[in-house]
Each structure stands twice: as C-alpha cells, then as structure tokens.
Amino acid sequence: MRATGTGCAARPVASGEKDVTLMAWQLSDISHERTEQEMVFKELQNAINYLDHAPVGFFSAGRDGEIVYLNATLADWLGIDLTSFLPGKVMLRDLVAGSRHGAGRIGAGRTGPQPHRAA
C-alpha cells in the first residue's frame, strides 16, 4: 500500500507465526517536492493573473460558440460581471452587434480604452 503524495508506504511482512502479519513502513522526506509544487503553482497563478488583466480582451469559445472563458479586461469592456459568469451560458452570437440572435455587446457599447490623440 502506498499513500500517494505523502512519502509514506507500507507493505506486509510475514512474521513466521501463524495468522500474524507485520507491516514494514517506509517514510520519505518530500519537503523539496512540495516546495517545487508550490513554486509551479505560484508561477501558474501569476500567468493566469497576467492573462486576466492583460491590456487586451481575450475569450475562449467552444465549437458551438459557447463562451467558456473570458478575461477580466474583456468582461469589463462588455459589462459582464465575472462573479456571476457561468462558462457555456453566454454565446458568441450574444456578444456580436448585428447578430440575429441577440442585441450584441461588441460594437454597441464600450470598446475599451481609447488612445489619446494630440490635436
């Protein structure tokens, strides 16, 4: 028997006596592995945070046009509350202006920060 991710394993050992089984335990220090996993997790969190707050809107849609991910920048531009966003409930056609299926949000409202132009 091995407990995955714990650095602990046990195996039965015959004792030589009838109906008596001993267990041999092996313990390993996995502190280094845990530290490495935490570093990888933090790097992933930083990458997700960067993508979520990038200066561009980003989304991912499924084959049928269901929006499964959108970053905070695009959600802000479209007026979508990310805390109530459910992947797959918003369709791409619901976001596009002039769509037969919905009013659309792109092209009909805020399009994000506008560049400053010198007069």
Side-chain angles (χ1 to χ4, degrees):
M1 170 177 114
R2 180 164 179 90
T4 306
T6 62
C8 178
R11 61 181 171 83
V13 177
S15 68
E17 296 181 30
K18 185 178 178 182
D19 297 331
V20 175
T21 302
L22 302 174
M23 295 296 286
W25 290 86
Q26 178 180 354
L27 304 175
S28 302
D29 181 6
I30 59 169
S31 301
H32 178 70
E33 291 174 27
R34 291 289 185 199
T35 301
E36 208 171 284
Q37 288 173 348
E38 287 177 17
M39 287 175 40
V40 169
F41 182 73
K42 285 180 182 178
E43 287 176 12
L44 180 60
Q45 281 182 316
N46 287 339
I48 291 170
N49 188 48
Y50 178 77
L51 174 65
D52 209 31
H53 296 92
V56 295
F58 176 79
F59 74 92
S60 178
R63 195 175 280 161
D64 296 323
E66 69 279 7
I67 304 294
V68 293
Y69 172 81
L70 59 127
N71 70 349
T73 303
L74 184 59
D76 182 49
W77 291 349
L78 299 176
I80 296 174
D81 180 11
L82 276 181
T83 60
S84 61
F85 174 76
L86 296 172
K89 295 295 182 185
V90 177
M91 302 298 288
L92 184 57
R93 66 177 174 251
D94 298 332
L95 303 179
V96 179
S99 171
R100 295 181 300 133
H101 302 285
R105 293 178 188 231
I106 297 174
R110 217 171 127 194
T111 59
Q114 299 297 317
H116 296 287
R117 296 179 186 236

Short mmCIF file of all heavy atoms in Angstrom, two decimals, residues 47-75:
data_model
loop_
_atom_site.label_atom_id
_atom_site.label_comp_id
_atom_site.label_asym_id
_atom_site.label_seq_id
_atom_site.Cartn_x
_atom_site.Cartn_y
_atom_site.Cartn_z
N ALA A 47 0.76 33.66 -14.18
CA ALA A 47 0.42 33.64 -15.60
C ALA A 47 -1.07 33.89 -15.80
O ALA A 47 -1.48 34.66 -16.68
CB ALA A 47 0.83 32.31 -16.23
N ILE A 48 -1.90 33.27 -14.97
CA ILE A 48 -3.35 33.46 -15.06
C ILE A 48 -3.71 34.91 -14.74
O ILE A 48 -4.52 35.53 -15.42
CB ILE A 48 -4.10 32.48 -14.14
CG1 ILE A 48 -3.96 31.06 -14.69
CG2 ILE A 48 -5.56 32.87 -13.98
CD1 ILE A 48 -4.45 29.98 -13.73
N ASN A 49 -3.08 35.47 -13.71
CA ASN A 49 -3.34 36.85 -13.33
C ASN A 49 -2.94 37.80 -14.46
O ASN A 49 -3.66 38.76 -14.76
CB ASN A 49 -2.59 37.20 -12.04
CG ASN A 49 -2.98 38.55 -11.51
OD1 ASN A 49 -4.15 38.87 -11.40
ND2 ASN A 49 -1.98 39.35 -11.16
N TYR A 50 -1.79 37.53 -15.09
CA TYR A 50 -1.35 38.36 -16.21
C TYR A 50 -2.36 38.29 -17.36
O TYR A 50 -2.75 39.32 -17.91
CB TYR A 50 0.03 37.92 -16.69
CG TYR A 50 0.50 38.71 -17.88
CD1 TYR A 50 0.99 40.01 -17.72
CD2 TYR A 50 0.44 38.18 -19.16
CE1 TYR A 50 1.40 40.75 -18.82
CE2 TYR A 50 0.85 38.91 -20.26
CZ TYR A 50 1.33 40.19 -20.08
OH TYR A 50 1.73 40.92 -21.16
N LEU A 51 -2.79 37.10 -17.71
CA LEU A 51 -3.76 36.93 -18.79
C LEU A 51 -5.07 37.61 -18.45
O LEU A 51 -5.68 38.28 -19.28
CB LEU A 51 -4.01 35.44 -19.06
CG LEU A 51 -5.10 35.11 -20.07
CD1 LEU A 51 -4.71 35.60 -21.45
CD2 LEU A 51 -5.37 33.62 -20.09
N ASP A 52 -5.50 37.47 -17.21
CA ASP A 52 -6.78 38.03 -16.80
C ASP A 52 -6.79 39.55 -16.84
O ASP A 52 -7.81 40.16 -17.12
CB ASP A 52 -7.13 37.54 -15.40
CG ASP A 52 -8.62 37.44 -15.18
OD1 ASP A 52 -9.35 37.18 -16.16
OD2 ASP A 52 -9.06 37.64 -14.04
N HIS A 53 -5.65 40.16 -16.58
CA HIS A 53 -5.58 41.63 -16.53
C HIS A 53 -4.74 42.22 -17.67
O HIS A 53 -4.27 43.35 -17.56
CB HIS A 53 -5.06 42.08 -15.17
CG HIS A 53 -5.99 41.70 -14.07
ND1 HIS A 53 -5.86 40.52 -13.37
CD2 HIS A 53 -7.09 42.31 -13.58
CE1 HIS A 53 -6.83 40.45 -12.48
NE2 HIS A 53 -7.59 41.51 -12.59
N ALA A 54 -4.56 41.46 -18.71
CA ALA A 54 -3.81 41.94 -19.87
C ALA A 54 -4.54 43.14 -20.48
O ALA A 54 -5.75 43.29 -20.32
CB ALA A 54 -3.69 40.82 -20.91
N PRO A 55 -3.83 43.99 -21.19
CA PRO A 55 -4.47 45.17 -21.79
C PRO A 55 -5.27 44.84 -23.05
O PRO A 55 -5.60 45.73 -23.83
CB PRO A 55 -3.28 46.08 -22.10
CG PRO A 55 -2.14 45.15 -22.30
CD PRO A 55 -2.39 44.00 -21.36
N VAL A 56 -5.58 43.58 -23.25
CA VAL A 56 -6.40 43.16 -24.39
C VAL A 56 -7.50 42.23 -23.88
O VAL A 56 -7.34 41.54 -22.89
CB VAL A 56 -5.57 42.41 -25.47
CG1 VAL A 56 -4.55 43.31 -26.09
CG2 VAL A 56 -4.92 41.17 -24.89
N GLY A 57 -8.63 42.25 -24.57
CA GLY A 57 -9.71 41.33 -24.23
C GLY A 57 -9.42 39.97 -24.83
O GLY A 57 -8.94 39.86 -25.96
N PHE A 58 -9.69 38.93 -24.07
CA PHE A 58 -9.42 37.58 -24.53
C PHE A 58 -10.58 36.68 -24.13
O PHE A 58 -11.11 36.80 -23.03
CB PHE A 58 -8.12 37.06 -23.90
CG PHE A 58 -7.80 35.64 -24.25
CD1 PHE A 58 -7.24 35.30 -25.46
CD2 PHE A 58 -8.10 34.62 -23.35
CE1 PHE A 58 -6.96 33.99 -25.78
CE2 PHE A 58 -7.82 33.30 -23.67
CZ PHE A 58 -7.25 32.99 -24.89
N PHE A 59 -11.00 35.80 -25.04
CA PHE A 59 -12.03 34.82 -24.70
C PHE A 59 -11.71 33.50 -25.36
O PHE A 59 -10.92 33.42 -26.29
CB PHE A 59 -13.43 35.32 -25.12
CG PHE A 59 -13.67 35.27 -26.61
CD1 PHE A 59 -14.24 34.16 -27.21
CD2 PHE A 59 -13.32 36.34 -27.41
CE1 PHE A 59 -14.47 34.12 -28.57
CE2 PHE A 59 -13.53 36.31 -28.77
CZ PHE A 59 -14.11 35.19 -29.35
N SER A 60 -12.37 32.49 -24.88
CA SER A 60 -12.26 31.16 -25.47
C SER A 60 -13.69 30.65 -25.65
O SER A 60 -14.51 30.76 -24.73
CB SER A 60 -11.47 30.23 -24.54
OG SER A 60 -11.41 28.94 -25.09
N ALA A 61 -13.96 30.12 -26.83
CA ALA A 61 -15.31 29.64 -27.13
C ALA A 61 -15.25 28.19 -27.59
O ALA A 61 -14.27 27.75 -28.18
CB ALA A 61 -15.95 30.49 -28.22
N GLY A 62 -16.31 27.48 -27.30
CA GLY A 62 -16.43 26.09 -27.73
C GLY A 62 -16.82 26.01 -29.19
O GLY A 62 -17.06 27.02 -29.87
N ARG A 63 -16.94 24.82 -29.67
CA ARG A 63 -17.24 24.55 -31.08
C ARG A 63 -18.58 25.17 -31.52
O ARG A 63 -18.73 25.60 -32.65
CB ARG A 63 -17.28 23.03 -31.28
CG ARG A 63 -17.23 22.60 -32.70
CD ARG A 63 -17.15 21.11 -32.81
NE ARG A 63 -15.75 20.72 -32.59
CZ ARG A 63 -15.35 19.51 -32.26
NH1 ARG A 63 -16.23 18.54 -32.10
NH2 ARG A 63 -14.08 19.24 -32.09
N ASP A 64 -19.54 25.21 -30.60
CA ASP A 64 -20.87 25.74 -30.93
C ASP A 64 -21.01 27.22 -30.59
O ASP A 64 -22.11 27.78 -30.66
CB ASP A 64 -21.95 24.94 -30.19
CG ASP A 64 -21.99 23.49 -30.64
OD1 ASP A 64 -21.78 23.23 -31.85
OD2 ASP A 64 -22.22 22.61 -29.79
N GLY A 65 -19.91 27.88 -30.20
CA GLY A 65 -19.94 29.30 -29.94
C GLY A 65 -20.20 29.67 -28.49
O GLY A 65 -20.37 30.84 -28.17
N GLU A 66 -20.22 28.67 -27.60
CA GLU A 66 -20.42 28.98 -26.18
C GLU A 66 -19.13 29.51 -25.58
O GLU A 66 -18.07 28.95 -25.79
CB GLU A 66 -20.92 27.76 -25.40
CG GLU A 66 -19.94 26.63 -25.22
CD GLU A 66 -19.80 25.68 -26.41
OE1 GLU A 66 -20.37 25.94 -27.48
OE2 GLU A 66 -19.10 24.66 -26.26
N ILE A 67 -19.23 30.64 -24.89
CA ILE A 67 -18.05 31.26 -24.28
C ILE A 67 -17.72 30.47 -23.01
O ILE A 67 -18.54 30.36 -22.11
CB ILE A 67 -18.32 32.74 -23.92
CG1 ILE A 67 -18.77 33.54 -25.15
CG2 ILE A 67 -17.09 33.36 -23.26
CD1 ILE A 67 -17.73 33.67 -26.23
N VAL A 68 -16.51 29.92 -22.97
CA VAL A 68 -16.10 29.13 -21.80
C VAL A 68 -15.12 29.88 -20.92
O VAL A 68 -14.92 29.54 -19.77
CB VAL A 68 -15.52 27.76 -22.22
CG1 VAL A 68 -16.61 26.89 -22.83
CG2 VAL A 68 -14.35 27.91 -23.17
N TYR A 69 -14.50 30.94 -21.48
CA TYR A 69 -13.59 31.76 -20.68
C TYR A 69 -13.54 33.15 -21.28
O TYR A 69 -13.56 33.31 -22.51
CB TYR A 69 -12.17 31.17 -20.68
CG TYR A 69 -11.17 32.10 -20.04
CD1 TYR A 69 -11.04 32.16 -18.66
CD2 TYR A 69 -10.39 32.96 -20.82
CE1 TYR A 69 -10.14 33.05 -18.07
CE2 TYR A 69 -9.50 33.84 -20.24
CZ TYR A 69 -9.38 33.88 -18.86
OH TYR A 69 -8.51 34.76 -18.27
N LEU A 70 -13.50 34.16 -20.43
CA LEU A 70 -13.16 35.49 -20.87
C LEU A 70 -12.39 36.17 -19.75
O LEU A 70 -12.64 35.91 -18.58
CB LEU A 70 -14.38 36.32 -21.30
CG LEU A 70 -15.49 36.56 -20.31
CD1 LEU A 70 -15.77 38.04 -20.24
CD2 LEU A 70 -16.73 35.86 -20.84
N ASN A 71 -11.42 36.97 -20.15
CA ASN A 71 -10.59 37.59 -19.12
C ASN A 71 -11.30 38.80 -18.53
O ASN A 71 -12.33 39.27 -19.05
CB ASN A 71 -9.20 37.92 -19.65
CG ASN A 71 -9.17 39.04 -20.66
OD1 ASN A 71 -10.18 39.49 -21.15
ND2 ASN A 71 -7.97 39.50 -20.98
N ALA A 72 -10.76 39.31 -17.44
CA ALA A 72 -11.39 40.42 -16.72
C ALA A 72 -11.45 41.68 -17.58
O ALA A 72 -12.43 42.43 -17.49
CB ALA A 72 -10.61 40.70 -15.43
N THR A 73 -10.46 41.89 -18.43
CA THR A 73 -10.46 43.06 -19.30
C THR A 73 -11.65 43.04 -20.24
O THR A 73 -12.40 44.01 -20.33
CB THR A 73 -9.14 43.13 -20.11
OG1 THR A 73 -8.04 43.14 -19.20
CG2 THR A 73 -9.09 44.35 -21.00
N LEU A 74 -11.86 41.93 -20.94
CA LEU A 74 -12.98 41.83 -21.86
C LEU A 74 -14.32 41.87 -21.12
O LEU A 74 -15.27 42.51 -21.57
CB LEU A 74 -12.88 40.55 -22.70
CG LEU A 74 -13.96 40.36 -23.78
CD1 LEU A 74 -13.94 41.53 -24.77
CD2 LEU A 74 -13.76 39.04 -24.49
N ALA A 75 -14.38 41.21 -19.99
CA ALA A 75 -15.62 41.23 -19.19
C ALA A 75 -15.97 42.66 -18.81
O ALA A 75 -17.13 43.07 -18.89
CB ALA A 75 -15.46 40.36 -17.95
#
